[in-house]
Every structure is written in C-alpha cells, then in structure tokens.
Amino acid sequence: MNLYAVGKGLVKTVLSPLYRFEVIGAENFPKEGGILLCSNHIHALDPPVVGMTAPRTVHFMAKEELFKAPILGPILPKVNAFPVKRGMSDREALRTALKILKSGEVVGLFPEGTRSTDGVLKKGLSGAGFFALRGNADVMPCAIIGPYKAFRKVRVVYGEPILMQPFRERKASVDEVTEAIMASIQKILDNYAENK
C-alpha cells in the first residue's frame, strides 16, 4: 500500500471542507528530474498542504523532534519524510537530501527554517542554496498565501522553475543561490497577496 497516496487523499478529505484551496501554477512543475521545492512557511499545516497540491511525490525534511512523537513519529518515514537536526550541520540529513535529488526526485523544504509569525518572508538559510547547487536539481519556488481561517481561501502558488545550470556554470555561491530562491518566492507573494 502506498501510504503517501493514502495520506495525500486523507489530507484532502480533512482539510478541503475547512479551507478553500486554490492551486495556481501547478503546470509549471517539471514532470521529471530532481527538484528542490522551496516554500515560505506560515502555518503548521504547510507541509501537508504542499504535499497535497504538488503534482509529484515530495520528500520533506522535518525536524528530528517530530520523529519522536508517539503517533506521528512512526508515520513520518512512511510518507517520505526524513529527520534533520536543527541548528547544526546534520551530515546524515544532507546525504539523504542529496541522494533523493540526484535520483531525480523531489525534496521539499522551507528555507526560512521556521514559521513566520507575521507572514513576512524571512531571510533564507544557506541550506537551500547548498542543495540546489549540489543536488543536480532545479528549484521550484512556491508561496502559500493565507491566512488559514475556516472557510477562507488559501492559495498555493507555484512559480516558474529556477534553472540551476547557469548558477553552476559561473560557480555562484550558496548565499547567492539562496537569495535568488527567496527573491522568487517574494515575487510570487507580491504578485498574489494583494488579491487575497
């Protein structure tokens, strides 16, 4: 049984009556090849919402503490999540993410590292640029535009893929790539937030 597909259906069943989801730009999502999916982070529901709306299976990095939770912990690996230690260099998580990307799959992460309490996009952590450059993958920017309030619209907008080859050819720095990713997410927010 594919637990990811089951989970995706369950999330849709539970959340769709509560929120009016509008997905924009899903056709921009590359159909094959390694993709680093980078989104802003405004709510605890963001990972399942991105997983539910993305056209491809997403492997999410999740903080290590969640894998120790009594009910959630055993489920996370079965829905393609893998742990990362926050606030330090986690070599195992780095290897796992790079392996997934190089095998042509999708890794999802929230470059801000934590939720934004005021909805304003924060500075991205350098890990996003590192994975984009080293993972032989392009980047799919995504913006979630809330708020998550019952029966209100929640937009999930996928932008144009950011092709990494030009960055690799000119040996761009990790920080430069991270800034480009965050600028792309901010552009989506600017284009769609005013029409909430």
Side-chain angles (χ1 to χ4, degrees), residues 94-116:
L94 295 179
R95 282 194 292 267
T96 299
L98 289 175
K99 182 180 177 183
I100 293 167
L101 291 171
K102 288 178 178 179
S103 69
E105 298 182 73
V106 181
V107 168
L109 58 81
F110 299 94
E112 295 163 282
T114 188
R115 291 195 299 271
S116 171

Side-chain angles (χ1 to χ4, degrees), residues 98-148:
L98 289 175
K99 182 180 177 183
I100 293 167
L101 291 171
K102 288 178 178 179
S103 69
E105 298 182 73
V106 181
V107 168
L109 58 81
F110 299 94
E112 295 163 282
T114 188
R115 291 195 299 271
S116 171
T117 54
D118 57 7
V120 175
L121 189 68
K122 310 298 183 194
K123 181 178 173 63
L125 300 177
S126 59
F130 173 83
F131 290 127
L133 287 171
R134 295 284 300 278
N136 194 28
D138 291 324
V139 176
M140 171 53 64
C142 173
I144 302 166
I145 301 166
Y148 283 88

